[in-house]
Amino acid sequence: MRLRHRDGTDVHLAYCTNVHPAEDLAGITAQFDLYALPVRERLGAATLGLGLWLSDTTAAALDTDPAALARLGADLVARGLETVTFNGFPYRGFHDPVVKHAVYTPDWSDPRRLDHTLRLARILAVLLPDTATHGSVSTLPFAWRTPWPTERHDTALRQLDLLAAGLKQIEADTGRVIRVAVEPEPGCVTETVRHTAAALAATDPERIGVCLDACHLAVAHEDPHEALRALAVHEVPVVKLQASAALCADRPHDPAVRSALAEFVEPRFLHQTREQTPDGSVLGRDDLDEALAEDGGLPGHRPWRVHYHVPLHTEPAPPLSSTQHELRATLRTLFAGERALTGHVEVETYTWTVLPEGRRPAGPDGLVDGIAAELAWTKAELNALGLTSAEEHHS
């Protein structure tokens, strides 16, 4: 779906396909019919945006097979689907039984990360619709924070320079601009927008910037206005927004709240948990079960925010809540002014299938309903900020 900001910027709204498990081309195409097309039909949209996630194996195959890539593009168009953004953070195995820290490998000190990201950029340059001025690929914030000696950081920065050169070459070869967006995440080398802005200050701002993940922003207790100011100081652009909401517990010392939180402990993904102290410092644990531990857990004197992407359009059942309010504030910061600060918005709730029993969608139709509801909610929020439809709709 495309919306238009008052400054004339087209804002592309998509949902991220990392919610689906397929890692080969046949499985990805099958998901278009099982999920994406029904979502588009539920919304009555002429075109539905997808934030594609491609495993490294699939990306490598497409990058060397122009015919297969052309077929993928035709499959998208035939279903009224388009992609202007890729999620390049997970490399492979994002729906393995246990992912946890594996999602951060290979990191940006490893040549495989550079190769993968440039493959995605080349593929996106081919798939990018004519309505898009540029494409975007989001990626991890260097690495998990440990181990990260100085020499690995220096290597990563050199690789980002090579990335910028590669993106410039793609533009020369194809005429399409592709930008890469580094995504701050709690627990990583650059876990806040402020940290990431400083780390990217010496990179090419025409091709490398930040992916604001609203869930991560909230978990880190970052104010979106302050985050944008830090980016402006270092002249680092917002390339992409991931519209997401974190799990929140206002009274984590309460036994009933702790019991409700325990239902969200699950083995696949990391759920970094943060508690802000009265002096503004932030205490953290790397997973929810660690935060809940009687010995060594977080104190629970103040609210917890948990890196657990929960559905945008509805709050979790009491006594828990979400950071939906913070997501609204992030949307206002990016779009309420006279200038849109990004043209790419990707709804990224990848945790539907690991939600507590009884809160998971019932089969494919249930997931279609959930994704459609999230997109409708996000579109309504953007409409309330003055963005209008940039395409015709049908019933």
Side-chain angles (χ1 to χ4, degrees):
M1 292 185 288
R2 284 187 295 123
L3 303 171
R4 186 155 294 150
H5 190 268
R6 64 180 65 88
D7 69 357
T9 299
D10 276 356
V11 177
H12 296 259
L13 175 60
Y15 88 87
C16 185
T17 65
N18 68 353
V19 65
H20 307 312
E23 297 201 19
D24 59 32
L25 193 54
I28 291 166
T29 303
Q31 288 168 353
F32 295 163
D33 289 322
L34 189 59
Y35 299 107
L37 181 55
V39 168
R40 181 177 71 76
E41 291 172 344
R42 293 278 206 289
L43 294 168
T47 305
L48 178 70
L50 301 182
L52 278 184
W53 174 64
L54 303 176
S55 71
D56 183 65
T57 302
T58 299
L62 286 170
D63 192 35
T64 56
D65 190 342
L69 182 52
R71 287 194 298 272
L72 176 61
D75 287 337
L76 288 165
V77 170
R79 293 164 175 79
L81 309 173
E82 67 178 20
T83 183
V84 304
T85 188
F86 281 2
N87 188 330
F89 197 134
Y91 187 75
R92 65 162 71 99
F94 194 58
H95 285 265
D96 286 350
V98 179
V99 178
K100 301 291 184 181
H101 293 87
V103 75
Y104 307 107
T105 58
D107 62 47
W108 269 102
S109 68
D110 188 326
R112 292 178 298 167
R113 178 59 65 174
L114 173 63
D115 292 344
H116 177 59
T117 307
L118 285 173
R119 282 191 197 103
L120 294 177
R122 287 191 292 269
I123 293 165
L124 181 54
V126 174
L127 297 179
L128 203 61
D130 292 338
T131 54
T133 59
H134 66 281
S136 64
V137 179
S138 49
T139 190
L140 75 161
F142 290 87
W144 187 250
R145 67 182 183 276
T146 55
W148 194 248
T150 301
E151 57 268 24
R152 287 180 65 185
H153 191 74
D154 292 343
T155 298
L157 290 175
R158 287 194 295 272
Q159 293 219 125
L160 289 180
D161 288 339
L162 293 173
L163 172 67
L167 296 173
K168 184 176 181 180
Q169 186 61 53
I170 290 169
E171 182 179 353
D173 293 341
T174 68
R176 308 315 301 268
V177 175
I178 307 297
R179 296 173 179 155
V180 169
V182 174
E183 180 184 333
E185 179 174 312
C188 292
V189 169
T190 60
E191 63 176 357
T192 66
V193 174
R194 178 172 54 84
H195 293 151
T196 308
L200 296 181
T203 59
D204 180 356
E206 294 298 315
R207 293 176 173 83
I208 299 175
V210 161
C211 170
L212 281 185
D213 184 302
C215 169
H216 301 175
L217 194 75
V219 171
H221 292 269
E222 285 195 276
D223 176 82
H225 290 284
E226 293 297 326
L228 266 293
R229 274 196 280 270
L231 291 171
V233 165
H234 294 286
E235 298 182 339
V236 175
V238 179
V239 172
K240 170 179 176 178
L241 169 69
Q242 282 179 332
S244 54
L247 183 66
C248 187
D250 287 334
R251 303 183 310 280
H253 59 281
D254 185 325
V257 175
R258 296 177 72 85
S259 178
L261 281 169
E263 294 183 29
F264 286 82
V265 173
E266 56 85 26
R268 181 174 297 162
F269 302 116
L270 273 184
H271 300 296
Q272 302 93 310
T273 305
R274 300 291 186 264
E275 175 178 339
Q276 189 173 47
T277 65
D279 66 5
S281 60
V282 177
L283 305 175
R285 296 294 182 271
D286 287 340
D287 215 342
L288 180 55
D289 58 344
E290 297 175 16
L292 287 166
E294 293 296 332
D295 183 14
L298 288 175
H301 301 316
R302 291 170 67 85
W304 287 1
R305 293 178 178 179
V306 184
H307 177 215
Y308 199 122
H309 290 220
V310 294
L312 307 187
H313 62 290
T314 181
E315 293 276 358
L320 303 179
S321 60
S322 79
T323 58
Q324 188 188 79
H325 175 78
E326 286 73 17
L327 171 57
R328 284 194 172 102
T330 302
L331 291 170
R332 286 195 302 272
T333 302
L334 292 172
F335 298 109
E338 292 304 311
R339 185 171 66 90
L341 298 184
T342 184
H344 294 178
V345 178
E346 177 186 65
V347 171
E348 197 213 14
T349 306
Y350 57 84
T351 50
W352 284 98
T353 58
V354 297
L355 288 170
E357 293 286 350
R359 306 184 197 189
R360 298 173 191 172
D365 283 348
L367 183 54
V368 166
D369 289 342
I371 293 169
E374 288 191 298
L375 286 166
W377 182 91
T378 307
K379 181 177 179 291
E381 292 295 320
L382 291 170
N383 289 156
L385 295 173
L387 279 73
T388 56
S389 177
E391 60 183 19
E392 293 184 2
H393 289 67
H394 60 82
S395 59

